[in-house]
Amino acid sequence: NNIHLIRYLLSTNKPLIVSTGMLNKDELDQLIKEIPKEKLTLLHCVSLYPTPAEKANLATITYLKSMYDIPVGYSDHTKGISACLYAVALGASLIEKHFTLDSTQTFGDHQLSAEPEEMKTLVEKIQECTLMIGIPEKSVTEDERKMATAMRRGLAAARDLSRGEVLKSGDLLPLRPESDIPVNRLDAIIGKRLLVDKAQFEFLKPEELE
């Protein structure tokens, strides 16, 4: 909430990373008005040292992103690295984690800081998490397409069917692999007339129907 400092920093024309620890909503709105969005990254922060897990409130990350439409990271004061990984999964674009050579020291922030091996693990896990998160869209990968024929089902005869029969739902059975008539065309096939005899479990073909 130090507007004097913020205005000085803006005069440097550098991007700003600003912690939201101890800020209420009105103060945050004032901050957003002061700093151009293209220069600002917010950090969700709970200013407790250490922060208990039940008070980390990581849902604030998604709230801030949706409220202000700017990059949001996480300033972590919990013990361990789990909160940082959960924050990344929730969309945090930047992580601040305190660092120490000895977390058993009882003064300052040492207890909530990561030692070298833990920090290395954190970086590796964040990279893995980012890789798994991917991109926000729903599409079918080429690998999935190769699996679809074997995994999906086609419509087959549930019993021996005779030429001229009008197909009902109970006459059709979804079987693997996917055939010329995929299972999701069930409603379009019901009511069609068979032009050929079909044995039980034999797949139907479009040209055999009218």
Side-chain angles (χ1 to χ4, degrees), residues 27-45:
E27 291 171 330
L28 189 52
D29 287 340
Q30 182 184 14
L31 175 74
I32 297 296
K33 290 177 182 177
E34 288 285 336
I35 306 174
K37 283 188 174 183
E38 65 272 15
K39 290 186 177 296
L40 176 60
T41 296
L42 291 176
L43 297 184
H44 166 53
C45 172

Side-chain angles (χ1 to χ4, degrees), residues 40-187:
L40 176 60
T41 296
L42 291 176
L43 297 184
H44 166 53
C45 172
V46 177
S47 298
L48 298 174
Y49 307 87
T51 300
E54 67 274 14
K55 294 186 178 181
N57 202 31
L58 296 179
T60 302
I61 295 168
T62 54
Y63 169 79
L64 293 175
K65 289 182 66 175
S66 63
M67 182 64 64
Y68 299 111
D69 191 29
I70 56 177
V72 176
Y74 176 53
S75 174
D76 182 41
H77 300 135
T78 65
K79 293 182 179 181
I81 62 175
S82 295
C84 293
L85 298 177
Y86 301 149
V88 172
L90 286 170
S93 59
L94 184 152
I95 295 294
E96 177 208 347
K97 181 67 178 176
H98 293 219
F99 179 77
T100 183
L101 296 179
D102 182 5
S103 62
T104 65
Q105 298 178 85
T106 57
F107 64 93
D109 295 339
H110 290 283
Q111 294 179 63
L112 58 91
S113 301
E115 294 183 354
E117 192 59 34
E118 190 175 34
M119 185 66 81
K120 178 177 180 290
T121 299
L122 174 59
V123 172
E124 292 171 347
K125 291 295 184 182
I126 286 177
Q127 291 171 339
E128 180 183 55
C129 184
T130 303
L131 182 67
M132 289 183 173
I133 289 170
I135 54 178
E137 66 175 33
K138 182 65 185 90
S139 60
V140 180
T141 67
E142 188 59 36
D143 294 332
E144 280 186 300
R145 289 190 185 97
K146 294 175 182 177
M147 292 293 294
T149 298
M151 297 292 290
R152 288 185 165 184
R153 298 171 185 269
L155 290 175
R159 58 178 177 82
D160 290 342
L161 298 172
S162 301
R163 177 180 177 179
E165 285 195 60
V166 176
L167 295 174
K168 301 180 293 296
S169 178
D171 297 328
L172 303 170
L173 190 66
L175 294 179
R176 286 174 173 164
E178 189 173 59
S179 63
D180 293 339
I181 304 180
V183 68
N184 63 351
R185 293 204 60 219
L186 175 66
D187 290 342

